Amino acid sequence: MTSEEHRDTRRMVFGGVAEAYDAGRSGYAEPMAAEVLAYADLGDRGAVEVGAGTGKATVPFAARGVPLVCVEPDARMAEVLRRNTAGHPNVRIEVGDFEQWQPGGRRHGLLFAASAWNWLDRERRWDLVHAALAPGGATALIFGPHGIHDAGLRAALADIGARHGVKSSPHRFLARDLSGGEPGSWDQRWPEAECRRDGRFTELRSVRFGRDLRYGTERYLRHLNSLSAYRVLPAESRARALDEIGRLLDAHGGGIDVHQVTDIFLARAR
């Protein structure tokens, strides 16, 4: 299996747990949408969202009246997205891969992707973004990693994952790793360097918002169960890992305290 085929397989694992994904994921810091819209300066232009999922980033934009086209590859995720945006007639949902999506004559003032950028074809994604944007249109790439405050708990969680075959562990960060760094410093795949090499974008900017969150045991297990690193495990291995994590968190007061950052990369089409 090529790396592209592997990525295609992993990005389609979320639909099987669409309800758990919606219930377990925390979304993004409250100022995120306002920050992106202030940069985009849309006027009467609309926006397109890539990999909208169940709407964790969609709803804050929809609630502000932005005309949205949401492109989501998994029909099961899109069904939950429809429910979550039912009160927003400004939202249009199109099911399919962004790589095959056709903007037609539509050009948007904003393209955004929340925790979806790394699933896109790395050879084509900047071409696709540029083709979807009007001249001067903005792109916003949004990420939401978290770090754990308790170092001992973080190590124990990482150990459980490793023993059951979890790769790309969500437990690799301590809270201080994130709260003290710059936007994107947690991952060498931060898109700024790639965007600069592309050369068709200007006004590059990175923004960070941080917040502390408390997950109860059950919610944190739903969160982990919605992550691709856990979804790709054999069902028995995943069940054993989540059971061990549940017992560990119950023994630590019934939950976990994390620091989540919402990191945003912004750029404008020349």
Side-chain angles (χ1 to χ4, degrees):
M1 180 181 293
T2 67
S3 60
E4 288 296 332
E5 290 170 335
H6 180 64
R7 184 159 59 249
D8 285 345
T9 299
R10 289 190 62 163
R11 74 176 178 177
M12 295 300 288
V13 300
F14 305 111
V17 287
E19 295 290 349
Y21 181 107
D22 194 53
R25 296 287 181 109
S26 60
Y28 303 92
E30 192 278 332
M32 177 272 293
E35 181 75 20
V36 171
L37 291 174
Y39 176 90
D41 191 19
L42 281 175
D44 60 356
R45 298 176 300 180
V48 59
E49 181 182 8
V50 179
T54 65
K56 292 296 182 181
T58 315
V59 172
F61 288 95
R64 288 167 168 81
V66 177
L68 289 176
V69 175
C70 299
V71 183
E72 167 51 44
D74 194 300
R76 299 162 295 181
M77 298 287 276
E79 191 60 33
V80 181
L81 175 63
R82 286 191 184 92
R83 185 184 71 213
N84 288 339
T85 58
H88 301 289
N90 50 314
V91 175
R92 175 177 175 177
I93 300 167
E94 300 186 11
V95 178
D97 291 339
F98 183 61
E99 289 87 346
Q100 278 72 54
W101 179 71
Q102 297 295 323
R106 297 170 292 180
R107 290 296 181 270
H108 297 84
L110 170 65
L111 179 146
F112 67 97
S115 299
W117 180 247
N118 291 330
W119 299 117
L120 298 180
D121 183 339
R122 294 176 183 175
E123 298 299 319
R124 300 175 55 213
R125 54 192 178 187
W126 289 107
D127 291 337
L128 296 167
V129 169
H130 198 268
L133 289 175
T139 186
L141 308 178
I142 305 155
F143 307 85
H146 71 241
I148 298 168
H149 283 284
D150 185 321
L153 181 58
R154 187 216 67 83
L157 289 167
D159 179 66
I160 291 171
R163 284 192 285 103
H164 291 285
V166 174
K167 297 180 174 60
S168 185
S169 172
H171 303 124
R172 62 190 183 277
F173 300 123
L174 284 169
R176 65 170 178 261
D177 298 332
L178 300 177
S179 59
E182 295 295 319
S185 58
W186 42 270
D187 197 327
Q188 63 182 356
R189 296 171 298 175
W190 184 247
E192 181 172 358
E194 191 178 80
C195 184
R196 287 190 186 280
R197 287 195 299 271
D198 180 274
R200 289 173 290 182
F201 298 84
T202 188
E203 297 181 37
L204 278 57
R205 185 184 306 172
S206 298
V207 183
R208 165 169 288 179
F209 299 102
R211 59 178 179 170
D212 288 324
L213 299 173
R214 171 77 179 178
Y215 286 88
T217 298
E218 288 304 315
R219 187 179 179 195
Y220 196 66
L221 293 179
R222 287 196 298 268
H223 169 74
L224 294 180
N225 193 39
S226 76
L227 299 178
S228 63
Y230 283 81
R231 296 309 309 163
V232 298
L233 294 178
E236 186 175 339
S237 296
R238 181 171 62 249
R240 287 199 300 265
L242 294 176
D243 180 67
E244 281 192 50
I245 290 170
R247 287 187 276 112
L248 175 65
L249 295 184
D250 282 344
H252 278 75
I256 185 171
D257 295 300
V258 306
H259 182 76
Q260 185 204 44
V261 298
T262 296
D263 278 359
I264 310 168
F265 175 73
L266 299 162
R268 191 178 306 281
R270 293 184 184 275

